[in-house]
Amino acid sequence: WWSPATGYTLPVIRYGQTGRPAFCLGTGAGDVLDTERSGLVGAFRPFVEAGRVRVYTSVTAPPDGPSGWAAYARWFADELVPYIRHDVGDARARIAVLGVGDGAVAALRLFLARPDLCWLAICAAGDYAVPDAVTGESAISFAHLAATSSRSEWHSRGFVHLQDIGRHAETAALIAALTAASVPHHLDVRNMGKSGALTVAGEMIASSLDRFA
């Protein structure tokens, strides 16, 4: 649909008819079918077919322009979440956010920005030290901001499941920031290159969904 928040058309695809809602972000700022082409859809298909989770996908971020991250976050909070809540028939439903690569960074930022809307973030193979092109903030600095934002309810509001595929220093810095913010988290370390990231990410997403969905 046309998004007033971003000024762009941001299509949404839903997989599944029943189950807890999840928003899945692809590997980059690709189109709405990025999650299918990258193989992410296959990771959660068994849970969709079993009726345990229904998954919504869209572009990972709006096209380059003045709207940037803040507008995308507003779209998520003010447009996408109300749509999902209406679709699932629960006006207070909280969303799981899943992502790989750039999508992992976006999922983590959404989770940290709106813990009132998100209960779980599954973040695989993200580079959390890269500064955002608009704000100049990395996901690590964003997590540090969460530590000072008086969100004492983190322990009951959400959980972060991270996958590290070799960026140990960056991930360690993120873990320190999450710990300082009292954000419950779990780290799955895999020593591998980018070539196998999607395969392992799919396995980790499936494992996390199996645990929480």
Side-chain angles (χ1 to χ4, degrees), residues 21-140:
F23 179 45
C24 185
L25 299 106
T27 57
D31 61 34
V32 70
L33 295 177
D34 182 38
T35 52
E36 283 200 28
R37 286 193 298 267
S38 66
L40 283 177
V41 170
F44 52 69
R45 189 177 301 279
F47 302 92
V48 170
E49 293 176 348
R52 297 175 61 188
V53 63
R54 70 183 91 186
V55 178
Y56 302 80
T57 66
S58 185
V59 296
T60 300
D64 292 337
S67 56
W69 162 254
Y72 188 76
R74 287 197 304 273
W75 168 78
F76 173 78
D78 299 338
E79 301 176 39
L80 181 63
V81 170
Y83 166 77
I84 291 176
R85 285 176 166 176
H86 175 76
D87 192 47
V88 303
D90 183 353
R92 302 182 65 182
R94 290 167 66 210
I95 316 301
V97 286
L98 328 172
V100 173
D102 289 346
V105 177
L108 180 64
R109 288 173 66 96
L110 289 174
F111 176 86
L112 293 173
R114 297 304 302 265
D116 55 323
L117 302 179
C118 306
W119 68 277
L120 170 67
I122 302 174
C123 308
D127 188 346
Y128 307 105
V130 173
D132 178 77
V134 176
T135 66
E137 296 176 348
S138 69
I140 295 173

